[in-house]
Amino acid sequence: AVVITAAGDSRSQAAVDDFTLTFDRPLTTPSDTTATPSTIALTTTMAMTTTEEDVVTTQPATTAVPTTQAPATTTEEPEMTTVERPGLNLNIGNPSFEDNFINPSVEGTRFLAVADAWVLSGPTGTFVPPEDAFDIESGILPPPGDARQVLFMKPGSTAQQTIVDSEVEAGDEIVLTFAVGWRRDQPFFFPDELAFEVRANSSDELIARVPLDRTALNLRAGQLTMVEVSFTVPDNAPWVGEALSIELATSGERALAQLVVDNFAGVLYRPEPTTTVSTTQPASVTGSVTPSVSVTPSAASTPEPTAPTIFLNVRN
């Protein structure tokens, strides 16, 4: 039962309307409920009992996935191999100037105004440098020099040679090397310029000209350095089929100037020949005759000769 009780002064008044009672059943059994008549509140006390138990959590069994270990692999770096191109050694005569043997102790001189296989002009010739001119040990020149003798050249001198059996073909690569030195046993200057030229022997056409001075050679007194000059014969060069001629020329105003050259070498690399396969179509046989047509190319279609590109390499 629900009892609504009003209390207080007799002149007071309260009104109630639209009374609704909502009853929520508890989840557990409630204990005794005591209603106090002097209040309008319904007090419900519920005692909750909690039993503390050990909780055991069981993890589901796991299945081990087998692991496959890849076999160790070793990557070997490929060995770098140098492929040497087959080349034809050019037949340069008296390349290290040893043909004219000089014995200073017997002949009383260290130079001769000759050098076999070379055409000389001006103050030049075969020379045996003393040991203090370069770092000479047991009479032998240090690299890139060779053996014991050199060609000395003062300003205004030339040395020229036609290389035997050096007829070139289109596409040939020519590599020429020689050593240049500046002696230190005497207070000589280095000539202002050493010009190296390659010409076609028959037509005398200039193929290559390389001017050299002490700065370009990066040369010090008592030192020898190697010079390499290379070029490829153009397809339409007018001097194809000719032999090569090499020439050295010195210039300068100082009389007390001198250089030496030594150890000439040359290699000709000829490209591998290419084979062209020609396929001939059989002629068709018909009742008609096909006239032949001859076309003469104009003179303008002939390309101009191409000058070779010259490469210079100086190695100290």
Side-chain angles (χ1 to χ4, degrees):
V2 177
V3 179
I4 299 175
T5 303
D9 192 279
S10 60
R11 291 175 296 176
S12 61
Q13 182 178 352
V16 294
D17 190 16
D18 195 14
F19 186 85
T20 303
L21 176 64
T22 302
F23 181 81
D24 293 330
R25 183 179 299 276
L27 298 177
T28 59
T29 305
S31 59
D32 296 339
T33 301
T34 304
T36 305
S38 59
T39 63
I40 59 173
L42 178 63
T43 303
T44 304
T45 301
M46 295 180 290
M48 301 295 295
T49 303
T50 303
T51 302
E52 192 173 301
E53 298 178 354
D54 294 333
V55 179
V56 180
T57 304
T58 304
Q59 297 291 339
T62 59
T63 303
V65 179
T67 303
T68 303
Q69 184 175 1
T73 58
T74 303
T75 303
E76 296 183 359
E77 294 292 334
E79 294 182 0
M80 299 299 293
T81 57
T82 303
V83 179
E84 294 186 0
R85 295 181 298 169
L88 173 66
N89 291 325
L90 296 179
N91 187 20
I92 298 176
N94 193 13
S96 295
F97 306 96
E98 304 297 323
D99 289 359
N100 305 97
F101 181 78
I102 302 173
N103 189 339
S105 61
V106 174
E107 301 173 17
T109 182
R110 288 187 171 272
F111 70 90
L112 297 174
V114 294
D116 288 354
W118 295 85
V119 178
L120 305 181
S121 67
T124 180
T126 304
F127 175 57
V128 182
E131 290 190 356
D132 53 350
F134 303 98
D135 294 329
I136 297 175
E137 295 184 2
S138 302
I140 302 302
L141 289 160
D146 180 59
R148 55 187 297 274
Q149 298 184 168
V150 297
L151 181 76
F152 80 90
M153 301 184 74
K154 292 184 176 182
S157 61
T158 62
Q160 181 271 337
Q161 179 179 158
T162 298
I163 304 175
V164 179
D165 298 329
S166 62
E167 290 78 9
V168 295
E169 297 180 4
D172 287 351
E173 181 183 355
I174 311 297
V175 180
L176 299 165
T177 59
F178 57 95
V180 181
W182 182 21
R183 55 187 293 194
R184 68 179 171 211
D185 61 310
Q186 296 290 335
F188 287 131
F189 295 99
F190 193 84
D192 293 348
E193 183 181 87
L194 170 64
F196 177 69
E197 292 185 352
V198 182
R199 291 181 175 271
N201 181 55
S202 299
S203 63
D204 197 37
E205 182 167 347
L206 179 64
I207 298 173
R209 185 181 191 276
V210 180
L212 301 167
D213 58 17
R214 190 169 63 87
T215 302
L217 294 168
N218 192 24
L219 196 61
R220 303 187 305 272
Q223 185 182 24
L224 289 150
T225 188
M226 180 63 76
V227 176
E228 178 183 294
V229 177
S230 61
F231 60 90
T232 300
V233 180
D235 292 341
N236 59 349
W239 38 272
V240 168
E242 295 188 44
L244 301 177
S245 173
I246 56 177
E247 180 175 311
L248 294 162
T250 54
S251 61
E253 300 298 328
R254 297 185 177 96
L256 292 177
Q258 187 182 118
L259 60 80
V260 302
V261 293
D262 193 30
N263 197 13
F264 275 81
V267 182
L268 183 152
Y269 297 101
R270 182 148 292 165
E272 294 293 332
T274 57
T275 303
T276 303
V277 179
S278 177
T279 303
T280 304
Q281 297 293 336
S284 58
V285 179
T286 61
S288 61
V289 177
T290 304
S292 60
V293 179
S294 176
V295 179
T296 302
S298 61
S301 63
T302 303
E304 292 293 328
T306 304
T309 301
I310 311 302
F311 296 95
L312 171 65
N313 184 20
V314 176
R315 302 191 297 273
N316 292 102

